[in-house]
């Protein structure tokens, strides 16, 4: 009788033993496959996040604030209280940007800068702290200082202009924190184009194509002259910005009575970098010399897996003192969404190792009992001339048949439950991340050292939404690796246990 027929006959006759071994194999294989598929799904989700949002790095100049260092700073204006200095060290400029863009793998760049205290005489911003203070002063005639200047009335119409060469590359729009609902984005070559919020547009009855006036005020006159009327303000630069597009904020914002106008998301404004630069240069001439704004540049690459390699190539560009710059991989947008996936990967890795180790130990014990109970059978087979190799082969074949059945059943279990279990675990991790990210609103600090932390709660963070679903599908490679590992364990255990038994004399086995 051949070993295949004899093995099948043995499995059929000893159904209880067969069932126990098959059950243990199913548990082991299912644990391995589920762990591998859920971990694989989480890693695929992590890769998609990195590929979509982790494909950029930012370059900005490191500018020491010690203006007394004459090798780095040059005084350009001496208006009392408004001394103006020009930084002579390394800056992000078009020459640097062009050199980095020439590096293989760099696909695009977003050049950014900000213009602070831009004045909008004809626009009513979304009301915040300065509007309330201004209204209170008008009603009571009492000013916040002994000087009856109308500083709060000025401040309520001042805002930050955020300049860029391509608004679609800004983190706000890439993460859908802000969504363009009318018009078009800011793009390369624009001049004096602006994006405003739908809330601001509605409040001021503005639409795409309308123009709004923006002024850069003379800082020395505004802050030293006693001003009692807005008509007394001196503008050193006046431009009319055309509304290219209108955006909607897809996030809620925490505000309180101390929130200032520029922090309100409805007051955010984005304009083209060329127009902003020209306005800044014109306004700075009032203080001594035309100075470009401080630029930062975010570069995008074609393959996130090559990020470190590309940055190393960038640092090797000749003619640039890279110690004067900070190069930082931009992970801020997707870090919060990445954490639940990282937690799943760690948990499944630990559980998989634990389950596999425990179950393999259990498998070894069961196989030892399985083989040990067949001493007499092996003695009979040896007495009728059966070789040790065929006896081992039969037991390995029996175990292999059961393992094949376990693999098939476990694959079915994994395909049916992998997505369910993986996404149930993801929901739990997302909930935990959402709860941990919630903070109680911070009251205005008595200690100025905590002022920065206090202001952070008003900021709008450009973060992607948590991943809500991962694909936990059984991969052929994972299936093959699991099968190979278990077959190796099976063969080793059978060989070691039968070696002990088959080395004993036939007479002792039969006795």
């Amino acid at each position: 009788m051949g070993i295949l027929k004899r093995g099948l006959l043995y499995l059929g006759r000893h159904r209880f033993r067969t069932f126990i071994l098959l059950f243990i194999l199913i548990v082991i294989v299912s644990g391995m496959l589920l762990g591998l598929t859920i971990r694989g799904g989480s890693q695929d989700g992590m890769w998609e996040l990195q590929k979509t949002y982790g494909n950029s790095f930012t370059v900005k100049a490191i500018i020491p604030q010690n203006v007394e260092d004459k090798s780095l700073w040059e005084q350009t204006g001496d208006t009392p209280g408004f001394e103006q200095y020009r930084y002579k060290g390394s800056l992000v400029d078009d020459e640097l940007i062009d050199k980095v863009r020439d590096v293989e793998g760099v696909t695009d760049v977003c050049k950014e800068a900000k213009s602070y205290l831009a004045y909008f005489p004809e626009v009513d911003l979304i009301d915040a702290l300065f509007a309330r203070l201004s209204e209170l002063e008008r009603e009571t005639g009492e000013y916040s200082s002994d000087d009856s200047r109308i500083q709060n009335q000025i401040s309520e119409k001042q805002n930050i202009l955020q300049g860029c060469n391509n608004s679609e590359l800004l983190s706000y729009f890439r993460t859908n924190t802000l969504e363009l609902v009318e018009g078009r984005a800011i793009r390369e070559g624009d001049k004096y184009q602006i994006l405003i919020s739908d809330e601001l547009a509605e409040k001021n009855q503005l639409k795409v194509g309308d123009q709004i006036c923006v002024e850069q005020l003379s800082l020395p006159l505004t802050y030293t002259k006693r001003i009692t009327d807005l008509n007394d303000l001196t503008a050193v630069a006046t431009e009319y910005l055309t509304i290219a597009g209108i955006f909607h904020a897809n996030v809620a914002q925490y505000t309180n009575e101390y929130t200032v106008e520029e922090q309100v998301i409805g007051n955010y404004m984005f304009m083209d970098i060329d127009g902003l630069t020209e306005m800044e240069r014109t306004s700075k001439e009032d203080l001594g010399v035309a100075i470009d704004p401080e630029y930062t540049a975010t570069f995008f690459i074609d393959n996130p897996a090559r990020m470190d390699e590309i940055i190393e190539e960038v640092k090797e560009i000749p003619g640039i003192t890279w110690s004067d710059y900070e190069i930082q991989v931009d992970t801020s947008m997707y870090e919060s969404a990445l954490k639940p996936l990282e937690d799943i990967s760690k948990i499944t890795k630990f559980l998989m190792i634990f389950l596999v180790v425990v179950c393999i130990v259990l498998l070894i014990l069961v196989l030892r009992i399985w083989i040990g109970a067949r001493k007499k059978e092996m003695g009979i087979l040896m007495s009728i001339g059966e070789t040790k190799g065929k006896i081992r082969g039969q037991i390995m074949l029996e175990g292999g048949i059961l393992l094949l059945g376990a693999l098939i059943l476990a694959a079915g279990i994994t395909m049916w439950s992998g997505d369910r279990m993986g996404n149930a675990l993801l929901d739990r991790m997302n909930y935990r991340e959402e709860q941990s990210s919630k903070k109680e609103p911070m009251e205005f600090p008595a200690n100025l050292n905590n002022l920065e932390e206090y202001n952070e709660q008003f900021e709008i963070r450009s973060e992607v939404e948590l991943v809500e679903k991962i694909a936990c599908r059984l991969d052929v490679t994972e299936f093959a690796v699991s099968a190979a590992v278990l077959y190796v364990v099976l063969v080793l255990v059978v060989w070691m246990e039968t070696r002990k038994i088959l080395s004993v004399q036939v007479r002792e086995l039969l006795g």
Side-chain angles (χ1 to χ4, degrees):
M1 185 184 294
I3 61 173
L4 176 59
K5 186 175 181 181
R6 194 161 59 223
L8 292 173
L9 185 62
Y10 182 87
L11 294 176
R13 285 180 177 177
H14 299 83
R15 292 187 181 89
F16 181 73
R17 291 183 186 177
T18 300
F19 175 77
I20 293 297
L21 185 56
L22 179 62
F23 177 76
I24 292 172
L25 286 170
I26 291 172
V27 172
I28 294 173
V29 180
S30 297
M32 290 182 69
L33 294 183
L34 281 170
L36 286 169
T37 54
I38 294 174
R39 187 164 183 265
S42 66
Q43 290 182 323
D44 287 344
M46 290 161 60
W47 171 245
E48 285 299 319
L49 280 174
Q50 291 173 333
K51 186 169 64 174
T52 306
Y53 302 105
N55 61 340
S56 62
F57 62 91
T58 300
V59 177
K60 62 180 180 180
I62 301 173
I63 302 179
Q65 298 305 308
N66 182 15
V67 296
E68 295 177 0
D69 187 344
K70 302 304 181 183
S71 64
L72 294 176
W73 294 92
E74 175 187 8
Q75 187 169 356
T76 59
D78 57 0
T79 302
F82 289 90
E83 292 84 1
Q84 182 72 6
Y85 293 87
R86 182 177 67 87
Y87 180 67
K88 299 189 295 183
S90 302
L91 291 168
V92 174
D93 53 22
D94 290 335
E95 181 182 0
L96 180 145
I97 290 173
D98 290 341
K99 287 181 177 180
V100 175
R101 289 202 67 173
D102 288 339
V103 173
E104 184 180 356
V106 176
T107 58
D108 214 335
V109 62
C110 184
K111 182 180 176 183
E112 300 175 56
K114 289 184 179 181
S115 176
Y116 297 89
L117 303 179
Y119 183 72
F120 294 86
E122 301 169 0
V123 175
D124 293 327
L125 300 177
I126 308 302
D127 289 348
L129 174 64
F130 292 125
R132 290 191 292 271
L133 291 177
S134 177
E135 182 63 27
L136 182 64
E137 289 176 350
R138 281 193 292 263
E139 290 177 355
T140 63
E142 297 179 1
Y143 294 87
S144 54
S145 69
D146 294 335
D147 187 358
S148 59
R149 293 177 301 157
I150 54 172
Q151 187 56 49
N152 286 322
Q153 292 183 44
I154 299 171
S155 297
E156 71 172 319
K157 287 183 171 291
Q158 286 182 316
N159 201 13
I160 293 176
L161 274 171
Q162 303 183 55
C164 63
N165 64 322
N166 185 345
S167 61
E168 291 179 329
L169 296 179
L170 292 173
S171 59
Y172 293 113
F173 293 95
R174 291 174 60 211
T175 58
N176 207 38
T177 301
L178 303 180
E179 179 184 4
L180 196 65
V181 291
E182 292 183 47
R184 63 168 180 84
I186 299 295
R187 55 197 179 204
E188 194 82 43
D190 280 345
K191 195 70 172 289
Y192 300 126
Q193 302 290 312
I194 190 171
L195 303 181
I196 64 172
S197 73
D198 51 1
E199 188 179 2
L200 193 65
E202 183 178 358
K203 181 173 183 177
N204 292 274
Q205 301 298 304
L206 295 170
K207 62 183 183 299
V208 173
D210 288 349
Q211 290 189 324
I212 56 178
C213 178
V214 58
E215 297 177 347
Q216 296 281 13
L217 302 180
S218 171
L219 287 174
L221 288 177
T222 301
Y223 283 84
T224 59
K225 179 183 176 183
R226 292 177 60 86
I227 298 175
T228 58
D229 191 288
L230 292 178
N231 293 325
D232 294 336
L233 294 176
T234 302
V236 294
T238 301
E239 294 295 342
Y240 287 88
L241 309 180
T242 301
I243 300 174
I246 296 174
F247 62 83
H248 173 74
N250 291 324
V251 295
Q253 182 184 24
Y254 168 71
T255 60
N256 65 13
E257 66 271 24
Y258 299 109
T259 307
V260 297
E261 274 72 3
E262 66 189 42
Q263 293 175 323
V264 177
I265 194 169
N267 288 329
Y268 282 15
M269 294 179 175
F270 305 91
M271 71 170 292
D272 58 273
I273 194 76
D274 292 340
L276 182 138
T277 298
E278 189 169 305
M279 286 171 51
E280 281 290 289
R281 289 181 63 84
T282 302
S283 66
K284 296 289 175 62
E285 287 177 352
D286 186 50
L287 294 174
V289 66
I291 301 175
D292 287 347
E294 182 182 327
Y295 299 116
T296 62
T298 301
F299 296 92
F300 298 84
I301 64 174
D302 56 3
N303 184 1
R306 293 188 59 230
M307 178 66 76
D308 292 341
E309 178 187 342
I310 290 174
I311 289 178
E312 286 303 314
E313 291 181 23
V314 167
K315 290 181 177 179
E316 292 175 1
I317 296 175
I320 298 177
T321 307
W322 286 108
S323 58
D324 293 342
Y325 297 91
E326 179 184 3
I327 301 180
Q328 188 172 18
V329 178
D330 185 12
T331 60
S332 59
M333 289 192 298
Y334 66 95
E335 278 180 344
S336 60
L338 198 63
K339 192 174 185 305
L341 297 173
E342 289 176 332
D343 290 342
I344 289 176
S345 183
K346 292 174 184 176
I347 289 171
T348 52
K349 182 180 180 180
F350 171 78
L351 290 178
M352 186 174 61
I353 293 173
F354 176 79
L355 180 65
V356 169
V357 169
V358 170
C359 288
I360 285 180
V361 170
L362 182 59
L363 174 61
I364 292 172
L365 293 175
V366 171
L367 283 173
R368 291 183 68 177
I369 295 172
W370 169 281
I371 297 168
R374 303 176 67 173
K375 290 181 180 179
K376 192 169 185 177
E377 176 193 345
M378 293 183 199
I380 293 172
L381 291 172
M382 289 175 67
S383 68
I384 62 174
E386 198 69 82
T387 64
K388 294 179 181 181
K390 285 189 176 181
I391 294 172
R392 286 196 184 99
Q394 177 189 331
I395 298 174
M396 289 180 184
L397 183 61
E398 293 167 3
I401 292 171
L402 292 178
L403 182 54
L404 178 61
L407 284 165
I408 294 171
L409 291 171
I413 293 170
T414 303
M415 287 189 287
W416 179 79
S417 62
D419 270 342
R420 291 175 173 83
M421 292 183 66
N423 286 290
L425 184 58
L426 177 62
D427 289 341
R428 179 62 184 167
M429 293 297 104
N430 283 344
Y431 175 77
R432 193 172 73 173
E433 176 64 22
E434 288 172 348
Q435 293 301 114
S436 65
S437 64
K438 290 180 180 177
K439 295 181 180 179
E440 290 295 322
M442 182 179 176
E443 296 296 328
F444 192 82
N447 188 344
L448 291 180
N449 293 330
N450 299 324
L451 188 59
E452 183 176 351
E453 182 182 354
Y454 171 79
N455 287 329
E456 285 179 357
Q457 65 188 335
F458 306 110
E459 295 177 0
I460 298 298
R461 298 186 181 278
S462 301
E463 296 178 337
V464 300
E465 295 181 356
L466 294 173
V467 177
E468 296 181 351
K469 190 174 181 63
I470 54 177
C472 302
R473 298 187 179 90
L474 181 60
D475 186 81
V476 176
T477 304
E478 295 168 348
F479 182 84
V481 169
S482 300
V485 170
L486 291 171
Y487 269 109
V488 168
V489 172
L490 176 68
V491 169
L492 287 174
V493 174
V494 170
W495 187 85
M496 291 173 62
E497 292 303 313
T498 55
R499 182 173 176 272
K500 297 176 185 177
I501 296 172
L502 294 176
S503 62
V504 179
Q505 293 293 326
V506 174
R507 187 181 303 169
E508 293 181 29
L509 294 175
L510 293 175

